[in-house]
Amino acid sequence: MALSALVGIVLVWFKRQVLPWIDATTFSGSLMIALGTGVLFMIVLLAVGYGLKIKEINELVNRLREKLRFS
Amino acid sequence: MSPSLYKKVGIASIIMMGSIFFSRLFGFVRLMVIAYVGGRGADVDAYQVAFVIPEILNHIVASGFLSITFIPIFSRYLVENQEEQGWKVFSIVLTGFGTLLLLFIVISEAFAPELVAIIARGRPDLNFREQAITMTRIIIPAQFFFFSGGLFMAVQFAKEKFLIPAFAPLIYNLGIIGGGILLSPWIGMQGFSWGVLTGALVGNFALQWWGAKKVGMKFSLTFNFKHPDLKTYTKLTLPLIFGLTMFFSMEIFMKFFGSYLPPGSIADLEYSFRTMLLLVAFFGQAAGVASYPFMARLVAEKKMQEMNQLLNNTLKYLSLVIPFSVLMMVLRNELILILLQRGNFDAEATGHAAGVLTYFLIGAFAIAANTIIPRAYYAMQDTLFPAIYGTIAVILSVPFYLLGLKMMGARGVALAVSLSAILQVFFLYALWNKRSQNKRSKEV
């Protein structure tokens, strides 16, 4: 729960930084904001989860690292 | 399990997962078309209200539970090589409950104005009521197709045929989309209602009747109210009829309490609720469907601690819904704009739906967990306790709705949905932990 709140704060901060540059009232603007925030969400979630040694996220990160090593 | 059985289960799972995925996809496309045609107009509210009486009828004959109630009875005759007897029971159930349902349909058609007046008590507007009554009358007969089609599908499942039943929800949704697109320029939202009736007739009734015929269906009009299997079926069905599930109560309450709000509010609730359900469906439904057979097997093998471990792990996996809910809260406006803002669904409608979405997302985790925890009870072959618990919880949740409605309007109704879901799931899990001595529940 605390992790989610932290992620939320980071995402809101990011959106506030980006919003003045992109018109969120258009389809393409909203899509860009959603994609950017979504990518940041995944990075923050994985980083915080890995840092806090959350088992499920650790397993996911390790699996990704294995796959990247093989490819 | 033999390897061939594993293969059969695997193929069946792939077909059903594909069906669920496409059904969800088409279901959301249906919502997008409704938003495009109706926006957040009062006639979309009327269309939503028109589903309440049909949903209650559907609940009365427990159409959604035929896999739990009818398949075990029919399968027993197949295992004992007494298929003829199985078809006899099929005819008795279809004739008995089908007649009862037809009777309810006729009564509901006749008393539709009075029933709609009760459901939409808060909206006395005559035009709205007239629209809701007309659409209710169009949709009601579809419930007969759902019930009889449910039985046709059940016999196909019992005979391990899954392909034709998998098409039922797809054709139903396509019917609604087609009805809306083709007829709405002339008759507005009523076009969708005709789509409901046509989709149910083609996908749930006609196609499934053909599928059941292919597996050797033998039906004859048989009234036999004293048959022991009809009594068994009724005994299994009654707790499901009287037990109010979380989803059933949410659907009814959103429309009932929404009717006390300004026009467009029921539509706001519907659009945001369905958007939130995308998240629940992605995590919850897959986990629920996948874990249930394993839960049932572990209970049968009396491995309760392993069963609890599986339940705890599934719930831990579901906790991922919480950060994703936060993501959706942050992107609420963008998501609604991308998914729904077209045609008559304008920027103002996006603002309304996005505002309500935040409050639904508060309870998304609990709604997802509710697809798992009751299954633990079902795995113990206990349908009665979740039914009684659900009914009490629904009654106790009414003050939340009243308070939410009074203080925050549509957002308050959404918050009430979330809070009641959180409390229901929390206590149901606590009771399960006590009953099953789930020692590691604190990990969740």
Side-chain angles (χ1 to χ4, degrees):
Chain A
M1 198 79 85
L3 170 69
S4 303
L6 184 71
V7 173
I9 291 166
V10 174
L11 296 183
V12 170
W13 172 83
F14 172 78
K15 229 184 107 178
R16 281 198 185 147
Q17 302 303 308
V18 166
L19 271 180
W21 306 95
I22 301 171
D23 183 7
T25 59
T26 62
F27 182 86
S28 56
S30 286
L31 195 62
M32 276 167 70
I33 292 173
L35 285 174
T37 315
V39 169
L40 180 71
F41 166 77
M42 287 311 292
I43 294 168
V44 174
L45 186 74
L46 293 178
V48 177
Y50 194 73
L52 293 174
K53 293 189 169 50
I54 294 172
K55 198 180 139 198
E56 285 76 12
I57 293 179
N58 264 332
E59 277 173 13
L60 189 70
V61 173
N62 288 334
R63 218 178 291 167
L64 278 172
R65 281 165 73 178
E66 283 293 312
K67 286 218 165 161
L68 286 172
R69 205 177 294 164
F70 277 111
S71 62
Chain B
M1 254 195 331
S2 66
S4 65
L5 197 55
Y6 267 120
K7 201 177 162 189
K8 270 184 192 171
V9 173
I11 294 169
S13 305
I14 291 167
I15 292 172
M16 291 322 287
M17 278 166 75
S19 170
I20 290 170
F21 174 77
F22 283 107
S23 154
R24 290 275 169 197
L25 187 73
F26 287 12
F28 203 82
V29 172
R30 180 182 85 183
L31 192 73
M32 289 163 92
V33 176
I34 291 169
Y36 181 87
V37 173
R40 64 182 295 270
D43 44 351
V44 178
D45 285 1
Y47 173 72
Q48 297 302 338
V49 166
F51 274 93
V52 176
I53 298 165
E55 272 168 18
I56 294 170
L57 285 182
N58 204 16
H59 190 79
I60 287 173
V61 288
S63 297
F65 293 105
L66 286 166
S67 55
I68 299 171
T69 52
F70 183 71
I71 292 177
I73 297 171
F74 187 75
S75 296
R76 199 185 69 227
Y77 285 111
L78 291 183
V79 171
E80 291 169 358
N81 282 324
Q82 291 181 304
E83 197 174 322
E84 285 301 316
Q85 278 298 315
W87 291 119
K88 202 175 161 190
V89 175
F90 168 81
S91 297
I92 289 169
V93 171
L94 183 51
T95 310
F97 274 76
T99 307
L100 187 73
L101 180 58
L102 283 174
L103 194 69
F104 279 130
I105 287 172
V106 172
I107 294 169
S108 307
E109 290 279 357
F111 290 98
E114 288 78 8
L115 294 169
V116 168
I118 295 169
I119 295 155
R121 245 180 91 88
R123 191 83 59 88
D125 173 36
L126 280 180
N127 186 39
F128 168 83
R129 288 262 172 101
E130 218 165 89
Q131 282 262 27
I133 292 163
T134 307
M135 288 193 269
T136 300
R137 282 182 165 148
I138 296 168
I139 295 170
I140 284 175
Q143 305 319 301
F144 180 75
F145 302 141
F146 286 128
F147 175 71
S148 49
L151 278 174
F152 298 153
M153 284 190 256
V155 293
Q156 291 176 75
F157 286 141
K159 290 222 164 193
E160 295 167 6
K161 299 287 178 205
F162 298 91
L163 192 63
I164 296 172
F167 280 99
L170 309 182
I171 292 174
Y172 172 63
N173 276 322
L174 278 177
I176 302 174
I177 295 167
I181 292 173
L182 296 173
L183 302 176
S184 66
W186 290 277
I187 52 174
M189 289 304 292
Q190 278 184 34
F192 289 97
S193 315
W194 286 110
V196 170
L197 190 63
T198 314
L201 170 66
V202 178
N204 290 70
F205 185 79
L207 184 68
Q208 303 314 322
W209 177 80
W210 178 65
K213 270 275 174 205
K214 276 184 77 173
V215 298
M217 178 179 74
K218 286 172 190 158
F219 172 73
S220 58
L221 211 62
T222 319
F223 288 98
N224 183 353
F225 296 110
K226 286 182 180 165
H227 195 283
D229 280 323
L230 185 70
K231 285 182 184 167
T232 311
Y233 176 81
T234 311
K235 222 169 138 184
L236 283 168
T237 307
L238 279 178
L240 300 167
I241 295 172
F242 290 110
L244 298 175
T245 61
M246 189 196 273
F247 276 99
F248 179 69
S249 67
M250 281 172 183
E251 298 269 2
I252 308 278
F253 282 173
M254 279 197 298
K255 286 149 196 170
F256 177 77
F257 290 107
S259 76
Y260 286 90
L261 295 165
S265 301
I266 299 174
D268 293 338
L269 286 162
E270 181 69 13
Y271 292 131
S272 45
F273 184 66
R274 300 284 159 209
T275 307
M276 180 274 294
L277 281 186
L278 284 178
L279 183 65
V280 172
F282 185 76
F283 286 98
Q285 197 165 27
V289 171
S291 61
Y292 181 66
F294 295 103
M295 282 185 186
R297 202 178 69 193
L298 289 170
V299 168
E301 290 170 356
K302 295 193 168 60
K303 293 177 178 169
M304 280 313 288
Q305 283 316 311
E306 283 180 43
M307 147 84 182
N308 279 334
Q309 194 55 46
L310 176 65
L311 180 66
N312 295 344
N313 286 342
T314 311
L315 288 173
K316 270 162 77 181
Y317 156 76
L318 273 191
S319 64
L320 275 176
V321 170
I322 299 171
F324 277 92
S325 299
V326 171
L327 174 70
M328 283 180 76
M329 280 180 196
V330 174
L331 294 174
R332 59 192 181 278
N333 282 299
E334 289 76 12
L335 281 177
I336 298 286
L337 189 151
I338 293 166
L339 294 171
L340 301 174
Q341 194 176 308
R342 276 165 215 95
N344 286 325
F345 197 94
D346 55 15
E348 194 198 335
T350 297
H352 281 283
V356 177
L357 176 62
T358 307
Y359 294 91
F360 276 128
L361 286 166
I362 292 171
F365 166 71
I367 293 170
N370 192 55
T371 61
I372 311 291
I373 298 170
R375 285 175 204 259
Y377 288 90
Y378 297 151
M380 300 263 287
Q381 293 186 331
D382 182 0
T383 52
L384 192 62
F385 180 76
I388 294 170
Y389 175 85
T391 307
I392 295 169
V394 166
I395 294 166
L396 291 177
S397 70
V398 172
F400 287 121
Y401 284 93
L402 288 170
L403 214 65
L405 177 76
K406 208 173 172 189
M407 293 174 75
M408 298 163 65
R411 293 175 187 203
V413 174
L415 184 62
V417 167
S418 289
L419 290 180
S420 63
I422 291 168
L423 290 175
Q424 277 191 54
V425 158
F426 178 80
F427 284 111
L428 193 61
Y429 185 52
L431 290 170
W432 169 263
N433 292 338
K434 206 172 168 192
R435 175 177 171 169
S436 68
Q437 294 177 325
N438 187 359
K439 287 167 191 157
R440 304 181 77 173
S441 60
K442 280 182 184 157
E443 285 176 9
V444 180

